[in-house]
Amino acid sequence: MSVKANIEIVLHIGSLRAIDLLHQGLYILQFQIHSLTNKEKLPAFPYKLIHLQDSISEQKLFPGKISQNSFRTSALYLRHFDETVDINEICTFHTEIEILPNHNKSDLYCTCELLYAPLFIRAEEDILKIIEENTDLFTIKGRAEMTIFSPLSGMSAFSPIFFRNENYFELHCCFYVFVTEFKYRCSNVDEELIRLTTSGKKQAKKRKNYDDAGEVLFSKQNDVPNKEFLDIYEKLVVNIQFAYEKIRELCLRCTANLPCQDLTNTMPDYSIRLAKFYKAQQIKPTSELVLSKIEATEIIFSELFDISETLKCFLPTFVNLLQNASQTFFKHLLNSFNLAISNLWDQNIIYRNRYVDYYEDSYLSQSHSRHESLTLAHKACIFESFCTVPMVIQTNYFPGSDELPLLLIDSLSKSKNFICDKANNGWIKAIEKIEKSGHVVFLVHGFGGSAMDMRKIRSHLSVFNKSLTVVCAYSNEGKTNGDIRKMGKRFAKEVNVFASEYFSNDKLNKISFIGYSLGGIIIRAALPLLDQFYDKFGFFITLSSPHLGTLANSSYLVDAGIWVLRKLKKTISMKQLSMKDEKDIFQTYLYQLSNSNGIEFFKNVAFVSSLQDKYAPFDSTRVEVGAKAWKSSNGDVLGKMAVNILRKIQSSSLIRIDANFKFKGASFDRAIGRAAHIEMIENANLIDMILDACKTFFE
């Protein structure tokens, strides 16, 4: 005997944005939904497809369709970088889920594949017909995997989907889940047929059904303890009723000012009843300690059938409402998603805000020991705040809370009235055509790197703020073995050329920089040559950039590597970073750079570091001098360099972010500190969390 619930999933596909498009041509999004029973995939079947009237677009070459257990959107003709398409299609899926008590949180799984077929010019209808009918012409260019949590609780949730392979696409979807019917199923089909044909009495059949269902829901004894009954009752009846009330409340809120408001008046209000038995218990608590199994089962299923019948009748009404107010539903659920993600990130962020008269007062640091203790304390905690996790989440993008990087944020301010803004301004913004704001952000790669190294950060910046113009600098590709002075000159020339070619003086409003590793030093080397833009400087963020050089490196292996590069490879930049380019340390390039102009004109400054990164000394990346380095023979020099840099910073706040990664297992890269260094530009969640922590920089 099994007890199953019929589940209807309404999937609303919103808009698609091709942030980074490497292949021009036709794109289709293919969706499949399934559940798992004993590790066996049970597909959900799509059966109704709706193309909303306002979704007509020249980019759609042929309509979406349902094929077996897959739903395919309209074919989209994409040609340009940062192109957007309003898909606006709805598909309804049907499936069944076991409702055994231990299956009450059974999840659904959705797979979305990005299919591609080359098409360089708009084809004639007969050619498009061939492409439409021949699925072999399409290849998979991206795959996203989502989990729909606790569908028996009913839900409505927004979910962004990211494809991050050759292309970088952002897709917006909303999922709505309804429980519409409950069924008993006999495990032995022959026994079920015999029972149905030989049972002449309806009541006996019903009693047999309840008896069998009771065996599934409750323990083996004939009498059910009141506590056990209430536990199952709340998991099933009350939970499903609350699910209906949540979706009803959403409909009332999203259609309050629309002509379709009269449709919402047809929705029954169950909140008055709050489940019949549950309400009765509040008025007159039962004195019985036990219930018979049949009685307990009958109470539960009579109410389940009552509620599910309402949901079944309500589904067409809801789809009608969704067609009339799709964007209102989207906006409301998007805001809820942003809040949930912000709460999830906050579980992995520790803030410390301080007021200082002078930033240079903070050059001596105890951060190393403090952060080690905070990290250990945080890892000892177990987070089970399921309420903050979105009900639908892309599992191959978001790890669990215990796998997210831990951020330790020290925020310094010269203003006593400064308040660190932790309000949620929204990580995900609606996909729409937005005019560029005239704010250019240059991304500079590190030693031995290329512009492609910064591609992921560029894509994440484009999601976080769609009005930015983001440029991956290329002028020092293949030249990072040379003199940092020359690198700075080449990059300054690249900035000047870009500004003159793409912006007139009145359209360029702001210039900002993000530098990774050596890239942060290259930016500082270029600043004195960019004086014509000083009044337009926005923010400056460095990721593991050794501003005080590598003198205080704690890794013997990394020191040995630098020595090899410096001595045998004649790498000038490594010689400069290790401050061995001059006999007099005060004449070294890095010390002279600490006195250079430019950094004082930035409105916001942030230094990002990691204790696990051994390639770039932790204190050096934070422009601090640790206790060990201070006691060394070069402590005084490092202290003066830190003071020189910090004294120039005039921004209202200075943020230092320490990222701690939760690696699984041991590896050589992790042991030598390379893994953490690479994660600075490869860890998608870290990039998003850093941008969110620095969200005031983009205002």
Side-chain angles (χ1 to χ4, degrees), residues 119 123-132 137:
L119 187 69
E124 299 296 331
E125 286 189 13
D126 55 340
I127 297 177
L128 289 178
K129 192 69 177 176
I130 294 172
I131 296 174
E132 181 181 0
L137 295 176

Side-chain angles (χ1 to χ4, degrees), residues 86-103:
D86 185 20
I87 301 174
N88 216 10
E89 295 174 356
I90 296 174
C91 185
T92 306
F93 290 76
H94 169 81
T95 190
E96 292 182 347
I97 294 181
E98 292 277 0
I99 65 166
L100 294 173
N102 58 337
H103 284 79

Side-chain angles (χ1 to χ4, degrees), residues 649-662:
I649 297 175
Q650 300 299 317
S651 59
S652 58
S653 66
L654 169 63
I655 298 177
R656 291 185 174 104
I657 302 174
D658 173 22
N660 188 277
F661 303 101
K662 300 168 185 176

Side-chain angles (χ1 to χ4, degrees), residues 102-352:
N102 58 337
H103 284 79
N104 192 44
K105 289 190 176 179
S106 294
D107 299 327
L108 293 173
Y109 303 92
C110 177
T111 301
C112 178
E113 293 176 327
L114 182 68
L115 307 181
Y116 165 77
L119 187 69
F120 305 110
I121 58 172
R122 193 180 179 93
E124 299 296 331
E125 286 189 13
D126 55 340
I127 297 177
L128 289 178
K129 192 69 177 176
I130 294 172
I131 296 174
E132 181 181 0
E133 294 175 353
N134 190 351
T135 56
D136 293 336
L137 295 176
F138 287 86
T139 57
I140 299 174
K141 288 293 183 181
R143 180 185 176 93
E145 298 169 357
M146 282 82 66
T147 300
I148 304 171
F149 295 103
S150 306
L152 282 177
S153 300
M155 46 76 61
S156 52
F158 167 85
S159 178
I161 299 174
F162 297 102
F163 300 99
R164 301 173 293 155
N165 297 336
E166 297 175 13
N167 303 290
Y168 195 105
F169 283 14
E170 177 188 9
L171 174 67
H172 287 183
C173 302
C174 282
F175 292 80
Y176 307 90
V177 179
F178 299 85
V179 182
T180 58
E181 192 176 355
F182 293 88
K183 299 176 181 177
Y184 329 100
R185 287 256 176 86
C186 187
S187 56
N188 187 318
V189 178
D190 292 333
E191 180 186 329
E192 176 72 7
L193 289 172
I194 292 170
R195 184 166 57 81
L196 289 174
T197 55
T198 59
S199 176
K201 295 184 179 179
K202 187 176 180 180
Q203 193 61 33
K205 173 187 169 184
K206 183 178 179 181
R207 184 179 181 86
K208 174 62 177 172
N209 283 339
Y210 283 149
D211 190 44
D212 291 343
E215 293 294 326
V216 174
L217 294 178
F218 301 109
S219 52
K220 298 299 181 183
Q221 63 266 28
N222 291 326
D223 293 325
V224 179
N226 195 43
K227 185 177 183 305
E228 182 184 357
F229 166 75
L230 289 176
D231 182 51
I232 302 300
Y233 183 86
E234 289 192 16
K235 282 183 178 179
L236 293 179
V237 181
V238 178
N239 200 22
I240 291 172
Q241 183 173 310
F242 281 151
Y244 169 74
E245 288 302 323
K246 284 186 293 185
I247 195 71
R248 179 178 178 275
E249 182 183 346
L250 175 67
C251 292
L252 290 171
R253 184 177 301 175
C254 293
T255 61
N257 300 316
L258 297 175
C260 55
Q261 174 64 37
D262 57 333
L263 285 173
T264 61
N265 296 329
T266 64
M267 298 184 293
D269 184 358
Y270 272 100
S271 60
I272 300 172
R273 196 185 70 172
L274 286 176
K276 289 181 285 188
F277 189 86
Y278 190 81
K279 192 74 173 178
Q281 287 292 89
Q282 290 181 324
I283 298 171
K284 183 182 178 181
T286 181
S287 58
E288 300 175 0
L289 296 178
V290 295
L291 294 169
S292 70
K293 188 176 292 185
I294 290 181
E295 181 185 2
T297 307
E298 184 173 8
I299 291 171
I300 286 176
F301 277 98
S302 63
E303 295 205 34
L304 282 178
F305 291 142
D306 188 12
I307 298 169
S308 64
E309 188 64 27
T310 301
L311 285 165
K312 190 175 182 180
C313 297
F314 168 63
L315 184 58
T317 302
F318 172 76
V319 173
N320 197 345
L321 289 171
L322 193 57
Q323 292 180 67
N324 285 278
S326 58
Q327 294 309 309
T328 310
F329 279 87
F330 245 104
K331 183 178 179 181
H332 177 80
L333 295 177
L334 186 151
N335 292 336
S336 298
F337 172 85
N338 278 330
L339 181 60
I341 290 295
S342 180
N343 291 336
L344 181 64
W345 285 341
D346 279 346
Q347 291 179 356
N348 286 271
I349 297 177
I350 300 174
Y351 293 92
R352 183 173 71 162

